[in-house]
Every structure is written in structure tokens, then in C-alpha cells.
């Protein structure tokens, strides 16, 4: 009898252990953290595949030279990428330079909400008397969908040490992305008898995505289709990537574009649309329309008189679209083919 009880005790203990193991297996999955691009943008020992795709200045060289690339001496810790503007002797006018740095492409394995992070530093250098200022924006390029979003932009009016900045983003599984940082540096005081260099540096540039193997019960699907009011900014951002339908048509000073509100948004979209010469220079007046879920609407924009000639000469035109659905809002930029009639 004692032997039987002892055996039952052993069996019971084994069952409890098995049940505990089963609970551990069946319990909620731990969230995983994926960091993009490879290397996490630490720039330790090199640029990690980032490259300059554009560098220009409104004043000819050698009076003004724009360039960018790897800076091994400066960073947080040392190692960064930089957008530099070098001014030659005796520049008597205001300068403005533009430098774009772009990451290598990276494929996202799982969808999820993430955080875009960077540390930035602005150094006036020996051009402090020109009161230089800078504006940068970082763009998330979705190669798969053919869309671009600008989740983070900042104006720097004075020199500063490295300061961290974060912004929420949302990505789709299987899509290929890239990051691009465009920096515009300009002077507010004319005249540079001595010349010098001013720099905006970036370090620890990364996209961190939190994912979980529990998959379908997360927030990615429910907010987009239920119309319950729980739609987040990030979810809306991912749903409006293809909301502009090209091509755009120019007739006289009227620009016609078709917009649509994805059915998965689950409610009426309030859309503000504007044609742009650049991300900071509008070509048209804004137009606000309401579009019901799953429907499309033609929007007519009036081109500004001073911008008409430049718009008419372009093969493609940039558009800025801001969408509101309930409490959620998101902004995307997209270039559309331009047809003249």
C-alpha cells in the first residue's frame, strides 16, 4: 500500500511538472525586438552602407560646397554620419545647402509598431557669425508599396550636443524599406570673410520593431477594419500608402487628382491634399474633402500663379496628403505622373 502511494506521488509530481511545462509553452509569447538596418546605425568603424544620394548648394564651389559621409571622430559614442557645408573665403551672400544620406535597403520579417530613433548634433564651427540654422527630416521609404512617409522632422536654430529623438512608425511584413535623412543648412547673416564648415551629425539611427508570435490577435488588424474608433496613427499610416491614384492631370491652372479611402479604415476619411514643388514649398492651395470608406473622389487643386510654370514643366509632381479617420491622423508624400491637357 505504501509502495502504491509512493508511486502515485511520483506520478502526480510528474503530471504537475508536465502541466507546468505545458503552461509555459502555451502561455503568452514573449515580444521580440528586431532592429533595422543591420548594425543598428551605431556607425562603429564605418558608415554601415549609408551613402550620399544628393549634395548641392545654392552658391557655386568653392564659395559653397555640400558633402556628407562617415565621421569616425564624432558620435555618441564616436562614429556617425554627417551632412557638411563648407564655405570659402569672402562669401558675401546667404547660403543654403542640401545633403541627403540614405541607408541600405532592409526587409522587415514581421509586421508591427516600432520606434524610429536617432541622435543628432548641430555644430556651427567657425561659421558661428553667420548664425547658421538647419532643418532635417528622416523619411521611411517603402520600396514594396512605392510610398514615402516623413515621421520625424526638426528645425535646429542653434548649435547643440547629441540629443536623442524618437518617433512611432508602423511597418508591414515582407516589405522592403530604406531610411533617408535630408538636411538643409542655411545662413541667416550674409558675409563670411574667414570661411569654415558647419555640420549636422547623426548617430544610432535605427528602426526598432516589437513583434510577437501571437500574431493575429494584435492591434494591426482590428483597428483597421472594425471602425470601432481604436485606429492608431501608425495603423492609419500603413493603410493610406496607396490612397493617391495617379496620374495627376493639369489643365490650365487646375490640377486633378483622385484620392480614395481604404475600406479597411472602417470609417469616412477626412483628407487634406496639396501639390508640392518640394516638401517645404507648396505648388497649390490645400483642398479638404471627405471620402467614405471604400470609395474614391476626384480632387481639383488650384495651382499658385508663381508655381504654374514650374509645375507645367515637370513629368512628376509631389503631393502631400494628410488623412484623419476618427482620432487617428497620418501624413504621406507621394509623387505622381503628371499629364497636361
Amino acid at each position: 500500500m505504501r509502495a502504491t502511494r509512493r508511486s502515485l506521488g511520483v506520478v502526480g509530481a510528474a503530471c504537475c511538472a508536465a502541466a507546468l511545462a505545458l503552461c509555459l509553452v502555451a502561455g503568452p509569447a514573449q515580444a521580440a525586438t528586431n532592429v533595422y538596418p543591420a548594425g543598428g546605425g551605431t556607425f562603429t568603424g564605418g558608415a554601415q552602407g549609408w551613402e550620399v544620394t544628393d549634395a548641392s548648394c545654392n552658391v557655386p564651389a568653392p564659395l559653397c560646397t555640400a558633402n556628407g559621409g562617415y565621421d569616425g571622430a564624432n558620435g555618441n559614442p564616436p562614429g556617425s554620419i554627417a551632412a557638411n557645408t563648407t564655405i570659402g573665403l569672402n562669401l558675401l551672400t546667404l547660403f543654403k545647402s542640401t545633403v541627403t544620406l540614405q541607408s541600405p535597403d532592409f526587409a522587415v520579417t514581421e509586421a508591427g509598431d516600432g520606434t524610429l530613433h536617432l541622435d543628432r548634433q548641430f555644430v556651427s564651427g567657425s561659421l558661428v557669425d553667420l548664425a547658421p540654422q538647419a532643418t532635417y527630416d528622416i523619411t521611411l521609404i517603402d520600396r514594396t508599396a512605392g510610398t514615402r512617409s516623413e515621421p520625424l522632422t526638426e528645425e535646429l536654430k542653434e548649435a547643440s550636443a547629441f540629443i536623442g529623438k524618437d518617433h512611432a512608425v508602423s511597418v508591414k511584413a515582407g516589405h522592403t524599406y530604406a531610411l533617408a535623412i535630408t538636411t538643409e543648412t542655411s545662413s541667416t547673416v550674409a558675409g563670411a570673410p574667414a570661411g569654415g564648415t558647419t555640420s549636422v551629425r547623426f548617430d544610432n539611427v535605427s528602426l526598432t520593431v516589437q513583434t510577437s508570435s501571437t500574431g493575429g490577435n494584435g492591434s494591426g488588424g482590428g483597428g483597421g477594419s472594425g471602425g470601432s474608433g481604436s485606429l492608431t496613427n501608425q495603423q492609419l499610416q500603413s493603410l493610406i500608402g496607396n490612397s493617391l491614384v495617379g496620374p495627376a492631370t493639369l489643365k490650365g491652372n487646375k490640377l486633378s487628382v483622385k484620392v480614395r479611402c481604404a475600406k479597411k479604415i472602417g470609417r469616412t476619411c477626412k483628407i487634406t491634399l496639396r501639390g508640392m514643388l518640394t516638401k517645404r514649398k507648396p505648388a497649390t492651395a490645400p483642398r479638404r474633402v471627405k471620402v467614405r470608406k471604400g470609395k474614391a473622389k476626384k480632387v481639383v487643386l488650384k495651382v499658385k500663379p508663381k508655381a504654374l510654370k514650374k509645375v507645367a514643366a515637370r513629368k512628376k509632381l509631389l503631393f502631400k496628403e494628410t488623412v484623419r479617420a476618427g482620432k487617428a491622423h497620418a501624413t504621406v508624400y507621394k509623387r505622381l505622373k503628371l499629364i497636361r491637357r
Side-chain angles (χ1 to χ4, degrees):
M1 186 69 177
R2 290 179 182 177
T4 302
R5 287 177 179 174
R6 190 179 298 112
S7 300
L8 290 174
V10 172
V11 172
C15 290
C16 289
L20 178 59
L22 182 60
C23 288
L24 290 174
V25 171
Q30 296 294 319
T33 301
N34 297 318
V35 181
Y36 308 96
T42 59
F43 307 117
T44 302
Q48 295 179 339
W50 284 71
E51 60 183 8
V52 179
T53 59
D54 177 63
S56 60
C57 192
N58 68 326
V59 180
L63 292 177
C64 180
T65 304
N67 65 77
Y70 179 63
D71 184 337
N74 299 282
N76 185 32
S80 62
I81 53 175
N84 307 310
T85 305
T86 300
I87 300 302
L89 298 175
N90 300 318
L91 176 66
L92 301 178
T93 185
L94 298 175
F95 72 83
K96 180 184 290 186
S97 72
T98 302
V99 176
T100 298
L101 297 152
Q102 187 166 297
S103 77
D105 291 356
F106 54 89
V108 172
T109 55
E110 293 186 54
D113 294 332
T115 301
L116 184 64
H117 174 85
L118 60 79
D119 295 335
R120 54 81 174 156
Q121 179 193 46
F122 182 33
V123 181
S124 300
S126 56
L127 298 180
V128 63
D129 291 341
L130 302 184
Q133 59 185 14
T135 300
Y136 73 85
D137 60 66
I138 182 165
T139 302
L140 179 62
I141 306 169
D142 188 335
R143 304 284 194 199
T144 305
T147 59
R148 303 167 68 97
S149 62
E150 186 180 289
L152 179 59
T153 184
E154 185 184 11
E155 185 177 359
L156 307 174
K157 293 188 175 181
E158 57 185 19
S160 71
F162 276 100
I163 296 176
K165 295 291 180 178
D166 296 280
H167 200 285
V169 296
S170 182
V171 294
K172 297 181 179 180
H175 281 217
T176 298
Y177 294 88
L179 297 173
I181 305 175
T182 298
T183 304
E184 186 178 276
T185 307
S186 60
S187 59
T188 56
V189 177
T197 299
T198 181
S199 300
V200 182
R201 303 184 181 115
F202 303 95
D203 197 6
N204 305 310
V205 186
S206 63
L207 173 60
T208 302
V209 181
Q210 297 287 342
T211 61
S212 173
S213 60
T214 53
N217 65 346
S219 62
S225 58
S228 62
S230 60
L231 189 69
T232 67
N233 293 346
Q234 292 75 30
Q235 290 166 355
L236 180 61
Q237 182 92 40
S238 68
L239 291 171
I240 65 175
N242 295 314
S243 59
L244 285 182
V245 183
T249 303
L250 178 65
K251 186 176 181 180
N253 67 340
K254 301 295 177 63
L255 192 61
S256 301
V257 188
K258 184 180 288 187
V259 297
R260 63 186 175 191
C261 180
K263 188 175 183 179
K264 287 185 177 181
I265 291 176
R267 59 176 63 230
T268 296
C269 297
K270 298 177 181 179
I271 300 175
T272 301
L273 187 66
R274 193 166 199 171
M276 310 290 291
L277 293 174
T278 69
K279 284 187 177 181
R280 297 180 182 86
K281 186 179 292 186
T284 74
R287 179 75 185 275
R288 297 175 180 86
V289 296
K290 291 183 179 180
V291 184
R292 290 187 296 171
K293 64 178 181 180
K295 302 296 182 179
K297 180 177 289 189
K298 181 180 177 182
V299 178
V300 179
L301 304 171
K302 187 176 181 180
V303 181
K304 294 185 174 185
K306 291 184 178 180
L308 184 57
K309 187 176 180 180
K310 292 182 179 180
V311 171
R314 299 199 173 184
K315 294 182 179 179
K316 289 186 176 182
L317 189 66
L318 181 68
F319 290 88
K320 178 181 180 181
E321 179 190 24
T322 299
V323 180
R324 292 184 177 274
K327 294 182 179 180
H329 62 89
T331 298
V332 295
Y333 290 84
K334 186 174 182 180
R335 292 187 185 277
L336 295 178
K337 182 180 178 180
L338 186 61
I339 296 176
R340 285 162 290 279
R341 290 184 179 173

